Amino acid sequence: MTLSAPEASRRTREICALAPIVPVLVIHDVRHARPLAEALVAGGLPVLEVTLRTPAALEAISAMASVSGGHVGAGTLITPEDVRAAKQAGASFGVSPGATDALLDACEAEDMPLLPGCATATEALRLLARGYDMLKFFPAEASGGAPAVKAIGAPLPQITFCPTGGISLTNAKSYLSLSNVLCAGGSWVAPNDLIQAGKWSEIEALAKAASLLGRPG
Ligand code: 3PG
């Protein structure tokens, strides 16, 4: 089934609306995948992005896909092969730091909702022209941070962003308070040292603190 770009964005937006923070996960050992996903979901962060930058990533996606209440996506989709592998592993959405026509074509052909990345107004316009209005803003802090997202939103209010890159518990609110930001991505909720040590309750506590960022006040 071919997925249209507007339908892809609608589905991605639905997923992005589930929690204020999308943990960006780097998993080296597949045995960590399930307890990590359970801790994050229990902490109130059901939307997870597993980066395809480790050999364990695809197996980790498969292991996490069955965790109740979770929505597991594959990050750093770059090539059509990445899209097919992520789909086969059980990812329910994809994330990319930028976008190429080949990547967008593959996601649409594979029925994989994509959160495509942009960092400039021209990149955002190009994606909007193709039908995508739910975009990742990357690398968020290095590209001007919340003021840049706000400024791009003035002429392009029809686009909603998930900023990612350099976001932490401290600065996340500056993004989440913007009307054109639905959620933000960040790796701080699942630090490598806590994953390696199997400190799942500490990760759950980080997730809980991040999940509360979406509350008013
Ligand atoms: C990444 O590519 O690792 C993501 O953009 C996450 O960035 P962060 O580590 O700055 O949250």
Side-chain angles (χ1 to χ4, degrees):
M1 188 185 94
T2 302
L3 180 63
S4 72
E7 175 61 9
S9 264
R10 191 195 63 73
R11 281 167 51 187
T12 308
R13 188 185 292 268
E14 235 170 48
I15 293 169
C16 285
L18 293 173
I21 299 298
V22 178
V24 176
L25 307 172
V26 180
I27 302 174
H28 295 280
D29 183 339
V30 70
R31 288 171 300 180
H32 295 149
R34 200 178 164 89
L36 175 60
E38 286 170 347
L40 292 165
V41 172
L45 300 182
V47 183
L48 312 175
E49 175 190 337
V50 178
T51 59
L52 296 188
R53 65 178 81 140
T54 63
L58 290 170
E59 260 191 277
I61 289 171
S62 300
M64 293 166 114
S66 60
V67 170
S68 175
H71 298 261
V72 184
T76 337
L77 293 184
I78 295 170
T79 66
E81 291 70 35
D82 291 339
V83 178
R84 288 188 278 274
K87 171 97 182 176
Q88 211 172 8
S92 58
F93 66 99
V95 184
S96 63
T100 63
D101 286 331
L103 178 65
L104 297 171
D105 288 346
C107 286
E108 290 163 16
E110 294 291 332
D111 190 29
M112 172 74 88
L114 179 71
L115 179 66
C118 69
T120 67
T122 299
E123 292 163 3
L125 268 179
R126 203 178 161 277
L127 284 161
L128 184 65
R130 180 149 174 165
Y132 290 86
D133 60 9
M134 178 72 228
L135 308 181
K136 172 171 172 169
F137 182 72
F138 177 84
E141 279 292 286
S143 304
V149 181
K150 185 177 180 185
I152 288 182
L156 297 171
Q158 59 276 69
I159 297 179
T160 310
F161 293 98
C162 169
T164 305
I167 298 180
S168 65
L169 190 63
T170 317
N171 63 9
K173 271 270 187 210
S174 65
Y175 292 94
L176 293 168
S177 62
L178 299 176
S179 58
N180 61 340
V181 169
L182 191 51
C183 62
S187 62
W188 89 89
V189 284
N192 188 46
D193 56 335
L194 294 188
I195 295 176
Q196 295 306 328
K199 296 197 169 166
W200 312 124
S201 57
E202 289 188 32
I203 289 176
E204 183 177 332
L206 289 174
K208 183 82 200 161
S211 74
L212 296 176
L213 286 166
R215 300 262 174 91

